[in-house]
């Protein structure tokens, strides 16, 4: 894969470059600020962008803003955000941009290289990968909404796993239920959220968006 990287911490940036290169990926650009990131993404059109949310000069949300701006020009650009903190608002903004291929991971919880590389792959392939703590923060904000009230406790639990990018098999394994049961729960979720089949849409992502009332 061709990967663009945005990380202001030199040691972490260098470590990511080495990790990705060791597994056969090409880091087409590695930048440390939002302005340069936006120009790089438009120019290089990588297979996936791995972006720190907070970049110079203000260390607030430059990485996120650059990623969102790039996706306006390149709607199918996959973006995996990295953050030091649980910031549900940033995840909501990324999800609300629509399209496929989005992820949000907490740096301190990325402790396994293979899982991290798998997360990058899934986002590059159009999947959604969310850290469980980020998902919990997102869903708590909507706990009293009517949409939440229409879902059973098990359906909300299944939807949390969907938001993490898990397959039906992965959800079944994690919740100790059958894949058939998972499929039934997901079908019920789609029905309650009014998500009809459509070739152009990823209903698993749309389910998360609808649940968050985007």
């Amino acid at each position: 894969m061709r990967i663009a990287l945005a990380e202001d911490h030199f040691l972490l940036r260098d470590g990511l470059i080495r990790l990705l290169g060791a597994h056969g990926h090409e880091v087409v650009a590695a930048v440390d600020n939002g302005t340069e990131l936006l120009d790089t993404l438009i120019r290089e059109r990588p297979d996936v962008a791995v972006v720190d949310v907070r970049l110079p000069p203000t260390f607030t949300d430059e990485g996120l803003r650059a990623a969102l701006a790039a996706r306006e020009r390149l709607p199918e650009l996959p973006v995996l955000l990295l953050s030091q903190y649980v910031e549900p608002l940033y995840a909501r903004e990324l999800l609300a941009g629509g399209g496929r291929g989005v992820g949000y991971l907490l740096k301190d919880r990325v402790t396994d290289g293979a899982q991290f590389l798998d997360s990058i792959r899934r986002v590059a392939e159009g999947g959604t990968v969310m850290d469980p703590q980020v998902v919990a923060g997102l869903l708590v904000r909507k706990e009293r909404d009517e949409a939440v009230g229409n879902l059973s406790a098990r359906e909300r639990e299944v939807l949390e796993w969907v938001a993490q990018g898990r397959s039906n098999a992965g959800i079944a394994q994690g919740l100790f239920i059958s894949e058939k049961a998972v499929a039934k729960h997901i079908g019920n979720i789609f029905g309650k959220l009014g998500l009809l089949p459509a070739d152009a849409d990823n209903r698993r992502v749309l389910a998360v968006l609808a649940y968050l009332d985007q």
Side-chain angles (χ1 to χ4, degrees), residues 76-124:
E76 297 304 314
L77 173 67
V79 174
L80 174 60
L81 292 180
L82 299 177
S83 179
Q84 198 72 32
Y85 311 99
V86 177
E87 298 168 301
L89 176 61
Y90 293 164
R92 287 169 64 89
E93 291 193 51
L94 181 64
L95 286 168
R100 304 175 62 207
V102 295
Y104 192 121
L105 298 179
L106 298 178
K107 291 182 179 180
D108 289 346
R109 288 166 55 84
V110 178
T111 58
D112 185 284
Q115 289 183 359
F116 178 61
L117 291 167
D118 183 62
S119 295
I120 294 176
R121 178 191 58 77
R122 283 192 282 162
V123 170

Side-chain angles (χ1 to χ4, degrees), residues 8-24:
D8 66 287
H9 194 289
F10 168 75
L11 291 178
L12 180 54
R13 185 172 67 249
D14 186 65
L16 288 172
I17 292 172
R18 292 174 182 272
L19 173 66
L20 295 169
H23 287 81

Side-chain angles (χ1 to χ4, degrees), residues 16 28 45 70 80 86 105 110-111 127 147 157 175 180 187 199 204 213-214:
L16 288 172
V28 296
R45 301 189 176 219
L80 174 60
V86 177
L105 298 179
V110 178
T111 58
E157 191 173 22
L175 296 180
K180 184 177 180 180
D199 292 339
R204 295 174 82 93
D213 194 26
Q214 298 294 334

Side-chain angles (χ1 to χ4, degrees), residues 2-212:
R2 299 177 66 255
I3 300 174
L5 175 64
E7 168 59 55
D8 66 287
H9 194 289
F10 168 75
L11 291 178
L12 180 54
R13 185 172 67 249
D14 186 65
L16 288 172
I17 292 172
R18 292 174 182 272
L19 173 66
L20 295 169
H23 287 81
H25 302 302
E26 177 187 2
V27 178
V28 296
V31 302
D32 63 0
N33 63 86
T35 301
E36 192 175 355
L37 171 62
L38 177 57
D39 294 339
T40 297
L41 294 179
I42 298 301
R43 182 181 67 251
E44 297 291 345
R45 301 189 176 219
D47 296 321
V48 61
V50 179
V51 179
D52 186 357
V53 169
R54 299 186 175 191
L55 293 173
T58 67
F59 293 96
T60 53
D61 61 356
E62 285 87 350
L64 171 66
R65 295 300 167 199
L68 291 176
R71 280 173 70 95
E72 289 181 2
R73 297 273 296 276
L74 306 170
E76 297 304 314
L77 173 67
V79 174
L80 174 60
L81 292 180
L82 299 177
S83 179
Q84 198 72 32
Y85 311 99
V86 177
E87 298 168 301
L89 176 61
Y90 293 164
R92 287 169 64 89
E93 291 193 51
L94 181 64
L95 286 168
R100 304 175 62 207
V102 295
Y104 192 121
L105 298 179
L106 298 178
K107 291 182 179 180
D108 289 346
R109 288 166 55 84
V110 178
T111 58
D112 185 284
Q115 289 183 359
F116 178 61
L117 291 167
D118 183 62
S119 295
I120 294 176
R121 178 191 58 77
R122 283 192 282 162
V123 170
E125 292 176 351
T128 303
V129 177
M130 292 284 164
D131 186 281
Q133 287 190 9
V134 175
V135 172
L138 288 167
L139 301 185
V140 163
R141 293 172 64 92
K142 290 296 178 182
E143 202 167 53
R144 291 174 294 183
D145 282 14
E146 182 179 354
V148 176
N150 288 335
L151 299 178
S152 69
R154 176 62 88 181
E155 288 164 355
R156 290 198 299 271
E157 191 173 22
V158 168
L159 186 51
E160 289 188 27
W161 285 71
V162 169
Q164 295 170 34
R166 300 299 184 92
S167 65
N168 284 13
I171 296 172
Q173 183 178 11
L175 296 180
F176 302 102
I177 58 178
S178 69
E179 287 189 51
K180 184 177 180 180
V182 172
K184 181 178 179 181
H185 287 311
I186 291 177
N188 290 340
I189 290 168
F190 290 160
K192 290 180 179 181
L193 296 180
L195 297 174
L196 301 177
D199 292 339
D201 295 327
N202 184 332
R203 288 198 294 170
R204 295 174 82 93
V205 174
L206 291 177
V208 177
L209 294 175
Y211 189 57
L212 299 173

